[in-house]
């Protein structure tokens, strides 16, 4: 397996100049072992936004292959996309996070790959984790692709612009034989988060990265806030050069990543709780009700203590945290 992989290129192929010029800069700065990516068909949330230019963009990717010697990759989401991409000699395909959430569709795509005569020139299929945090679904997707005989690789692209390290860790432990890449662009949703996320990529010994790279990120027609210039990509890769070997520290780093993620969610939940509490405070003010409702407080505290016992958490810990949160809430409502 030719790991490590660095996949770089724009979120979407927008026009010939943008594709060819971005590729020219990438190959000049990082060499032709980079796999050049560009989305031809874009799975966008909003139908009023740019949906990708479609089949025509495959010609621009062919031009990149010829002019730079880089292998090229694009996202496929229907059997027709696969037929067109494979007829155009695209080297690698990837399945996006919305596609990999649907096993019936993934099986259809795998069947299409298996039956196409050009599949011996297909160098691999990258499988992004599904949008819903479901490691079994992701592992199942990998297995469906593996059965086609084409190499399958995995990409951790996070869940709703946040990492789901626990899921990626389970994936790694279950299938250490499958190359696992990090996509800090979609995971973080912001150009500023790429460097710190690549720190994780190194410490967790990922087998490479997919990083959205655009000639002029501010003008990008999709995912503008998360794309970086080829020059910034060079800076990122000079700071965290591939390959990232695994050491005895790697497992500890994974566990710490899991803890960091849980802490982030914990504090986000507390901040969210505070916001709802503020709205309750406004309601109470409107109806001239004092912030503290002793019976309601007793009721939710009792419930929480019961929960603590069922979940083998010390009652004193749960009670003291809850009292602190509640006190801060009351203060906000006053
Ligand atoms: C992409 O890589 O451009 C993309 C749409 O990614 P994801 O499926 O991870 O959202
Ligand atoms: Mn994108």
């Amino acid at each position: 397996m030719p790991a490590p992989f660095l996949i770089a290129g724009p979120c979407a192929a927008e026009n010939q100049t943008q594709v060819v010029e971005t590729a020219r800069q990438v190959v000049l700065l990082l060499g032709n072992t980079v796999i050049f990516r560009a989305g031809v068909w874009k799975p966008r949330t909003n139908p009023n936004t740019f949906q990708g230019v479609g089949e025509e963009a495959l010609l621009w990717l062919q031009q990149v292959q010829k002019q730079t010697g880089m292998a090229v990759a694009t996202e496929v989401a229907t059997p027709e996309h696969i037929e067109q991409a494979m007829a155009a000699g695209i080297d690698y395909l990837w399945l996006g996070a919305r596609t990999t959430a649907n096993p019936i569709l993934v099986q259809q795509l795998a069947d299409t790959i298996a039956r196409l005569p050009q599949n011996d020139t297909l160098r691999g299929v990258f499988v992004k984790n599904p949008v819903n945090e479901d490691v079994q679904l992701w592992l199942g997707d990998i297995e469906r692709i593996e059965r086609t005989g084409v190499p399958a690789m995995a990409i951790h692209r996070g869940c709703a612009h946040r990492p789901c390290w626990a899921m990626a860790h389970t994936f790694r432990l279950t299938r250490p034989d499958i190359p696992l890449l990090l996509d800090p662009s979609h995971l973080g949703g912001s150009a500023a988060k790429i460097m710190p996320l690549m720190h994780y990529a190194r410490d967790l010994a990922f087998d490479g990265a997919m990083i959205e790279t655009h000639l002029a990120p501010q003008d990008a027609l999709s995912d503008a806030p998360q794309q970086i210039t080829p020059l910034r990509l060079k800076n990122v890769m000079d700071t965290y050069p591939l390959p990232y070997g695994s050491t005895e520290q790697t497992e500890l780093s994974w566990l710490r990543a899991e803890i960091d993620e849980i802490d982030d969610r914990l504090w986000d939940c507390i901040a969210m709780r505070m916001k709802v509490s503020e709205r309750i405070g406004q309601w109470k003010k409107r109806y001239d009700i004092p912030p503290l409702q002793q019976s309601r407080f007793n009721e939710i505290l009792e419930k929480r203590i019961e929960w603590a016992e069922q979940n083998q958490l010390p009652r004193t810990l749960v009670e003291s945290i809850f009292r602190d949160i509640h006190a801060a809430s009351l203060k906000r409502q006053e």
Side-chain angles (χ1 to χ4, degrees):
M1 187 65 57
F5 297 91
L6 175 59
I7 308 174
C11 176
E14 299 169 0
N15 58 65
Q16 188 177 19
T17 312
Q18 171 247 11
V19 170
V20 171
E21 182 54 23
T22 304
R24 195 187 66 78
Q25 292 188 17
V26 167
V27 79
L28 198 72
L29 291 162
L30 291 126
N32 69 4
T33 57
V34 175
I35 299 170
F36 187 77
R37 64 153 279 161
V40 169
W41 302 278
K42 296 304 301 174
R44 305 301 302 285
T45 305
N46 185 332
N48 302 308
T49 57
F50 177 61
Q51 309 289 301
V53 301
E55 201 178 358
E56 184 192 358
L58 295 171
L59 299 173
W60 310 335
L61 286 174
Q62 288 177 330
Q63 199 179 334
V64 170
Q65 280 172 322
K66 277 203 206 86
Q67 291 180 0
T68 67
M70 284 190 285
V72 296
T74 200
E75 172 169 354
V76 289
T78 68
E80 294 72 35
H81 294 167
I82 295 182
E83 284 160 10
Q84 292 172 9
M86 284 172 65
I90 300 301
D91 303 283
Y92 292 93
L93 306 176
W94 84 81
L95 307 186
R98 292 154 194 83
T99 302
T100 56
N102 180 347
I104 292 182
L105 180 54
V106 172
Q107 189 56 52
Q108 255 180 16
L109 301 179
D111 292 344
T112 308
I113 292 171
R115 78 172 158 74
L116 284 182
Q118 309 98 315
N119 67 14
D120 51 344
T121 58
L122 188 60
R123 291 165 67 177
V125 178
F126 295 94
V127 179
K128 293 206 179 191
N129 68 269
V131 267
N132 49 328
E133 196 171 341
D134 185 340
V135 73
Q136 294 307 328
L137 192 54
W138 193 14
L139 290 162
D141 291 332
I142 288 281
E143 204 176 315
R144 290 175 201 275
I145 296 301
E146 279 182 304
R147 288 187 194 165
T148 67
V150 175
M153 287 77 75
I155 300 181
H156 177 39
R157 52 82 71 205
C159 308
H161 286 331
R162 48 194 325 158
C164 18
W165 297 124
M167 175 175 68
H169 189 191
T170 305
F171 185 97
R172 178 59 115 193
L173 294 172
T174 313
R175 291 301 306 267
D177 56 319
I178 297 286
L180 176 61
L181 282 68
L182 186 71
D183 172 349
S185 311
H186 291 91
L187 195 156
S190 139
K193 291 188 183 159
I194 289 175
M195 194 69 100
L197 283 167
M198 288 306 285
H199 190 94
Y200 276 99
R202 186 196 58 193
D203 289 358
L204 304 179
F206 272 80
D207 302 298
M210 173 186 260
I211 303 181
E212 285 192 338
T213 309
H214 193 291
L215 190 65
Q218 71 282 2
D219 300 329
L221 299 181
S222 58
D223 284 349
Q226 73 194 30
Q227 302 204 58
I228 58 174
T229 60
L231 199 60
R232 268 189 80 184
L233 176 69
K234 161 99 172 113
N235 180 237
V236 169
M237 298 321 293
D238 283 348
T239 310
Y240 297 108
L242 286 162
Y244 311 134
S246 139
T247 68
E248 64 277 11
Q249 282 285 314
T250 307
E251 178 61 11
L252 176 63
S253 297
W254 272 107
L255 294 170
R256 287 195 167 148
E258 285 195 37
I259 283 270
D260 288 352
E261 177 189 339
I262 291 169
D263 282 348
D264 282 345
R265 292 185 186 198
L266 198 63
W267 291 109
D268 278 355
C269 279
I270 291 173
M272 251 159 62
R273 189 187 193 284
M274 218 47 116
K275 284 200 181 114
V276 177
S277 163
E278 227 169 78
R279 290 165 62 195
I280 292 178
Q282 287 157 6
W283 187 91
K284 287 175 179 164
K285 254 196 198 111
R286 198 173 338 132
Y287 294 98
D288 213 14
I289 293 170
L292 177 62
Q293 300 297 303
Q294 195 62 53
S295 62
R296 159 90 178 149
F297 175 71
N298 293 344
E299 191 190 313
I300 51 181
L301 178 60
E302 250 165 57
K303 252 203 220 152
R304 196 47 57 193
I305 288 169
E306 208 177 288
W307 175 92
E309 277 157 10
Q310 285 162 5
N311 288 276
Q312 278 96 46
L313 280 178
R315 175 199 165 118
T316 46
L317 172 77
V318 171
E319 187 169 342
S320 76
I321 291 175
F322 186 71
R323 282 188 186 279
D324 283 348
I325 291 175
H326 189 259
S329 252
L330 283 182
K331 218 168 181 181
R332 206 43 97 85
Q333 292 188 1
E334 271 158 13

